[in-house]
Amino acid sequence: VKVAESVSADSKRIINELLQHLKNRDTKYDAGLFTEQGFDVYKKLLVYGNASFFKVEDNYSSYSLGEQTYIRSIPFTFSFQNNSVKFSENICFEINKEGKINNISFALSDKAVKDIMSQDRWPMSSRLQIINFLENYKTAYALKRTDYIEKIFSDNALIIVGQRIEDSEEVDGPKYALTGDNYEFTKLTKEQYIARLRKVFAKNEFINIGFEENVVKKRDNQSDVYGINIRQNYFSSNYADQGYLFLMVDMKDSL
C-alpha cells in the first residue's frame, strides 16, 4: 500500500477532464476517461443533484491499494429542483491501472477517517479498505444503487432496523422491544430489506448519509472480520434522523 500527500501529473489531468465533463454536464460516454462501471456511477452522480464544484486546489491527496489509485476530497455542492436544501460533499474517485475512472464516491468525514486510521495495529491495507467500503456504502444510498447494496449483503444476512417511538396505535410488521418501551426493532431478511429500500428510494428526491465518529473492532487476529459501529446522520427529502449503524464486515474477499 502506498499513501501519497499529492497526486501525479496523470492523475491531475484525469481530475481536470472529469471536472470539465461535470461542468459541461456531458452525458456521452468517454471511453478514454471512464470504464463502463465508472461512467454508470458518473451518470448517477450527474442526475443526483445540481452538482457544482468549488475551485479545486492542489491540496487533495491520493493512495494506492492493489492496482487502484484513489484521489480524495474534491469539494462539491448539491442542490435539488423540488427542495431548497443544499449540502456539500467531498468527492473521491478510483482510477484503475489503465488510467480510467472506475468509481466515484462521497468521502467520509475527517473525524471518521481519523478514527479508522488511528488503528495502527492493523495493516494499512485493511484500514484503507474499510474507509473505501464505508464511502461506497454511503454513496450507494445517495445514488440509490440497490444493485450495489444487494451485492454487499450476504444472502442470509440478519438486518435489524430500530427506531425510537412515541405513543401510537399502529403496528407495522414483526416488531419487538429490546431496550424498553421507547424503542422498537424490526428484523428483516435481505429480500425484505431491499424491497423496503426500493420503496424509500422511489419516494425521495434525494438521500444523504453522513458518517461521523466510529468504533471499529477486529473479531480476532486470525480473521479479516470487522465490526463497525458508526454514528449516522440520515437526511432525505421527507425525513431526517440521527442514529447508529452497526455492520459486521468480512474483508477476506477484498484484500
Side-chain angles (χ1 to χ4, degrees):
V1 178
K2 182 180 179 182
V3 180
E5 293 300 326
S6 58
V7 300
S8 67
D10 283 344
S11 295
K12 289 181 180 179
R13 174 188 57 77
I14 294 169
I15 291 171
N16 290 333
E17 287 186 26
L18 172 68
L19 296 180
Q20 192 62 47
H21 275 266
L22 284 164
K23 183 178 180 180
N24 295 337
R25 305 194 69 78
D26 292 336
T27 56
K28 185 178 179 180
Y29 177 50
D30 183 345
L33 184 61
F34 299 99
T35 64
E36 290 186 8
Q37 173 183 301
F39 185 65
D40 184 56
V41 177
Y42 161 80
K43 286 191 296 183
K44 287 182 170 65
L45 179 68
L46 199 64
V47 301
Y48 173 64
N50 185 22
S52 60
F53 53 88
F54 300 109
K55 180 180 179 182
V56 178
E57 307 291 347
D58 287 341
N59 57 359
Y60 39 75
S61 61
S62 69
Y63 63 85
S64 298
L65 185 60
E67 295 181 331
Q68 316 301 313
T69 298
Y70 296 86
I71 311 298
R72 295 190 58 78
S73 301
I74 299 176
F76 275 72
T77 57
F78 296 90
S79 59
F80 299 88
Q81 182 177 357
N82 300 314
N83 199 295
S84 60
V85 172
K86 293 183 179 181
F87 56 85
S88 300
E89 286 282 358
N90 286 328
I91 299 296
C92 305
F93 58 97
E94 171 191 320
I95 302 173
N96 68 11
K97 63 180 180 179
E98 284 80 29
K100 296 183 180 181
I101 297 170
N102 193 50
N103 193 29
I104 304 172
S105 61
F106 293 168
L108 292 179
S109 69
D110 291 343
K111 179 69 169 63
V113 170
K114 184 177 179 180
D115 288 345
I116 295 168
M117 292 301 290
S118 67
Q119 304 293 335
D120 52 12
R121 66 189 183 281
W122 299 340
M124 177 64 77
S125 58
S126 296
R127 287 176 274 167
L128 294 176
Q129 191 64 48
I130 290 170
I131 292 170
N132 185 44
F133 166 76
L134 287 173
E135 291 180 338
N136 281 312
Y137 184 89
K138 66 171 286 188
T139 307
Y141 282 79
L143 303 187
K144 303 179 182 180
R145 293 190 61 195
T146 51
D147 59 329
Y148 176 84
I149 298 168
E150 281 186 287
K151 289 178 183 177
I152 63 173
F153 281 105
S154 65
D155 291 337
N156 59 351
L158 173 62
I159 302 168
I160 298 175
V161 179
Q163 61 182 344
R164 186 173 181 175
I165 58 173
E166 297 179 357
D167 291 342
S168 175
E169 299 298 325
E170 297 182 7
V171 178
D172 181 20
K175 298 180 179 178
Y176 54 92
L178 292 181
T179 58
D181 294 337
N182 292 329
Y183 294 86
E184 68 179 12
F185 294 80
T186 304
K187 183 170 67 173
L188 302 169
T189 65
K190 175 181 175 179
E191 291 75 16
Q192 290 171 330
Y193 179 72
I194 294 298
R196 178 172 170 165
L197 203 58
R198 286 196 173 100
K199 292 180 181 178
V200 171
F201 288 168
K203 289 192 298 184
N204 285 276
E205 183 181 11
F206 69 87
I207 293 175
N208 185 258
I209 295 176
F211 289 150
E212 295 182 357
E213 70 269 13
N214 58 81
V215 176
V216 182
K217 293 187 176 182
K218 193 174 183 182
R219 185 173 69 181
D220 53 57
N221 292 328
Q222 284 72 47
S223 71
D224 290 313
V225 177
Y226 294 82
I228 303 172
N229 191 45
I230 191 164
R231 183 174 178 81
Q232 174 180 281
N233 296 315
Y234 179 98
F235 187 66
S236 71
S237 52
N238 63 18
Y239 176 77
D241 71 16
Q242 291 183 327
Y244 284 88
L245 171 70
F246 178 78
L247 297 167
M248 185 70 74
V249 183
D250 188 347
M251 295 288 181
K252 69 177 182 294
D253 292 330
S254 57
L255 295 177

